[in-house]
Amino acid sequence: MTALIEAKNLYRYYDDHCAVHDVSFNLNKGEILGFLGPNGAGKTTTMQMLCGNLAPSAGQIIINGIDLLDKPKLAKSILGYLPDTPPLYKELSVDEYLDYCARLHRLPFRAIAKAVAKAKGRCGLEAVSDRLISNLSKGFQQRIGIAQAIVHEPELIILDEPTVGLDPIQIKEIRALIKELGSDHGVILSTHILSEVQESCSHVQIINRGKLILHETIAGLNRQMNGASIKFTTREPIDTARLSSLEGVTNITMIAKNQYLLQHANEPQLLEKVALQIIEAGWGLGEIAPVRQSIEDIFISMTQKDEDAR
Ligand SMILES: Nc1ncnc2c1ncn2[C@@H]1O[C@H](COP(=O)(O)OP(=O)(O)OP(=O)(O)O)[C@@H](O)[C@H]1O
């Protein structure tokens, strides 16, 4: 199967500053990729390169088998892009604006009315067709931004911070729309909201200081979150050296009297082994449970590890 987008060894320099460093990944149809990173990590630079608005200093971008740098018009015809600020002409009505966008995307004249109606339907804009964009709420303006990105039915949709500045109800609606779009397109969205990735995406990647430090499925991320620590209490103090000899245990810390946090290298069935060891040693098992990390914990620990490794 041809990937919808293949980013190969992308670099982007601004003078001497390397904003994107050797970024490679693939996205297939039906996948929604959440692109995370701290401020200044290189998300917007990467997204701008992926949609052909910014030339990479090195590397290759293949969209549905077409090299974006060799055949930009053809490659761009199968992608839709919503920049972080929706590119709206606010003095136009919704219909006028979407009609204009459909022409820019070079849709055949006869197909325009149908394409605009379909995009409005998907984005819940029918009721505001004749309204001036400047008079609509931010949520509606964001939907119009998404509608212009999908009006030509691109296979790949790239959305830069699509829910920023929206209220909780609008956020919910836009997330539902993104999920629906993801069922028959490929979607890449950047966001600062970590829970958004869990709610809307099938895959996640984290960029830090221009380098990709994680590319995972949401299922894999959930496994990591269920992850690598176990908290337990005992009646007697334990012999940490003895428990540390269990395979995969990386660290044991006493966090309160007879209360411990054990870290491990994602060792399966370790919880049972630890419980058995505590019982066999006669330390008196009180409680034992895996510690569920939040996506924020994973994000902070991944970016922190990356900082430490520099
Ligand atoms: N036009 C430019 N000229 C010089 N440096 C730039 C330019 N655009 C971005 N940078 C730098 O490149 C790095 C990556 O910026 P980028 O905007 O891609 O990050 P980001 O992850 O999108 O950040 P944010 O979440 O704050 O939008 C930053 O250090 C930024 O200062």
Side-chain angles (χ1 to χ4, degrees), residues 279-304:
I279 293 163
E280 280 176 1
W283 299 324
L285 181 60
E287 284 176 28
I288 184 163
V291 179
R292 189 173 160 78
Q293 284 186 291
S294 66
I295 185 168
E296 283 82 4
D297 296 335
I298 291 181
F299 180 79
I300 291 166
S301 88
M302 299 263 354
T303 46
Q304 194 58 51

